[in-house]
Amino acid sequence: ETMALLFALLPAAMVYRYQAARLQVATSEQRVRAFMETARDGVVVIDDSGIIHEFNSAAETLFGYTAAELIGTSLNALMPATEAKQHDSRLKNPHHSGVRTMAKGRQIVGLRKDGSTFPAEISVGNALVDDKRMYVGVVRDITERKAFEQKLIDVASIDSLTGALTRRAFLEDAQNIFQ
C-alpha cells in the first residue's frame, strides 16, 4: 500500500520539479531579455563565425535595421567593406587578441542600413554557451563626442577674432611639415 502510494506520487513530484525548472528558465530568459531591451547602447551578439544571434532595440535604432533583418546574417553588414575584411581575417585566426583589445573599448566605424557611416565605440566580451564561443558587443554612437572634440581642437587652434591659426597651432603645423 505504501509502495503503491509512492509510485502514484512519484510522477506528480517529477512533473512538479520539471515545471519549477521550466519556470526558473523562463524567468531567467525574461530577465536577460529585459536587460537587452532596456540597454541604451546597442547590443549585438555573434558566434565565432560572425553570425548575428541577438540584436537589441537600441542597435536597431543605431543601425537602422530590425533584428529580424539581421539575425542569422553576417556582422559585416554593420561595417564598411575595409573593416569587414579585417574582421573576417581576425575571425579566421583562432589566436587573435582582438577580443582582449576590444574589451577595453575601441573606436570603429559603423555602417547604417542607408549606407551612411558613423563613429562608434565598441566593447566586446565573450563567453562559452553550450560549448560554443559567443561574443557580446556593446556599441555606442560617438558622433556628438567627436564633434565636441573637434570643436575643442578648433578653439585651441584658431583665433576666434582673426580666424588665423594660433601661434601654438602654427608652430605645430610647421614642425609637422618640416619633419
Side-chain angles (χ1 to χ4, degrees), residues 70-130:
L70 287 180
I71 290 177
T73 66
S74 173
L75 180 67
N76 291 350
L78 304 178
M79 58 185 87
T82 54
E83 296 213 9
K85 200 173 192 176
Q86 292 173 352
H87 185 259
D88 284 345
S89 68
R90 283 191 300 268
L91 285 176
K92 288 176 185 170
N93 179 3
H95 301 293
H96 69 85
S97 62
V99 172
R100 275 182 268 137
T101 301
M102 295 185 82
K104 299 173 188 170
R106 180 178 143 199
Q107 290 186 15
I108 61 165
V109 176
L111 178 66
R112 292 190 176 97
K113 184 178 181 178
D114 67 7
S116 64
T117 59
F118 63 97
E121 185 175 78
I122 186 167
S123 297
V124 178
N126 70 81
L128 276 176
V129 178
D130 296 329

Side-chain angles (χ1 to χ4, degrees), residues 133-146:
R133 178 90 30 215
M134 302 297 284
Y135 300 90
V136 179
V138 179
V139 186
R140 173 178 292 163
D141 184 338
I142 57 171
T143 301
E144 290 180 13
R145 179 175 29 161
K146 291 301 235 176

Side-chain angles (χ1 to χ4, degrees), residues 57-70:
S57 58
E60 289 180 334
T61 302
L62 192 59
F63 290 100
Y65 289 96
T66 65
E69 289 176 288
L70 287 180

